[in-house]
Amino acid sequence: MKWFTIGVAFSMLLTAAVQSYAAEAQINFVLQSGGGYLDDDMYTIASGIDGSIHWMCDRPAYKSGVSSLYYHMSYLLDGIHDNTMDHVWMPQTSLNSGSPCEYLRIDFPEAVYLTKIRTYNVAYVGTGNGAYRWMESLLMVSADGIDYTQVGDVTVNLTPSYDDYVDIEINAWVQAIEYLPYEDGENTPNYYGMSDVIMFMDDNPMPNQPAIPEPASVMLMCCSLLGFFLRKTKR
């Protein structure tokens, strides 16, 4: 009977753990304004988030001498990862050589419980002069829009491909995000650019609530309680 009671209690705890940790859902950003030719910022909206999300860079999108359709900031949201320049974002640098931009910042109107950020940071790979376009960055998040913490490093491997991406787990309430691009001295591209930014959040976000425990933490608690029950039973 005691074993049956322990089993029921453990099952209830596991059920509570699964229910307390909400499922992951992709944030579907919709362009509201900006993000086009020569723009350095844009505003989007998204289901489950009240208000506009502001995307901004310290430099405007690169002005291509070939086409005004290239390198829009809005391409960060189009979900297309191909080997063409009209589906990637690239900020202007000094003749697009030297150092990359200083930041890409994303400000939310309210705190959002993000579970993961996926970055397609290889913009274009081809042959010839100026063919390689990607951006390596430190990924920073802030709970208040003031103090930032580094949560990951968005890098490229030895053979970058346009469909490469980097997943970084967040599992925290986030008010703002910053990509801080850098040169690593080994994989320096000809041009600095990136493809998509995809974010995932709690499928029923409730801003300004305590953070939800990670499943591993809840499982540890369950195992500890089970051990406690077993110890009492043996006595």
Side-chain angles (χ1 to χ4, degrees), residues 28-43:
N28 293 314
F29 296 103
V30 177
L31 181 64
Q32 195 174 28
S33 63
Y37 188 53
L38 300 181
D39 285 341
D40 60 4
D41 73 340
M42 68 178 174
Y43 289 88

Side-chain angles (χ1 to χ4, degrees), residues 22-146:
E24 192 174 65
Q26 181 177 329
I27 302 176
N28 293 314
F29 296 103
V30 177
L31 181 64
Q32 195 174 28
S33 63
Y37 188 53
L38 300 181
D39 285 341
D40 60 4
D41 73 340
M42 68 178 174
Y43 289 88
T44 64
I45 54 176
S47 177
I49 300 175
D50 295 327
S52 298
I53 302 103
H54 190 193
W55 304 60
M56 69 203 89
C57 182
D58 63 302
R59 298 176 185 174
Y62 178 57
K63 180 180 180 180
S64 170
V66 179
S67 172
S68 62
L69 298 178
Y70 292 168
Y71 309 125
H72 293 188
M73 184 177 277
S74 60
Y75 294 149
L76 290 170
L77 312 173
D78 67 1
I80 302 174
H81 321 119
D82 60 14
N83 208 25
T84 63
M85 292 176 282
D86 54 356
H87 288 297
V88 304
W89 168 70
M90 188 167 68
Q92 177 71 57
T93 65
S94 177
L95 299 178
N96 264 73
S97 61
S99 301
C101 63
E102 292 185 10
Y103 65 82
L104 168 64
R105 182 178 301 139
I106 304 153
D107 285 339
F108 292 96
E110 58 185 11
V112 178
Y113 190 85
L114 294 182
T115 57
K116 181 172 63 186
I117 298 176
R118 175 172 295 174
T119 308
Y120 288 83
N121 63 319
V122 180
Y124 181 79
V125 178
T127 58
N129 184 36
Y132 301 105
R133 297 164 170 83
W134 59 73
M135 192 175 291
E136 297 186 292
S137 309
L138 303 179
L139 184 60
M140 318 289 289
V141 299
S142 172
D144 57 9
I146 300 173

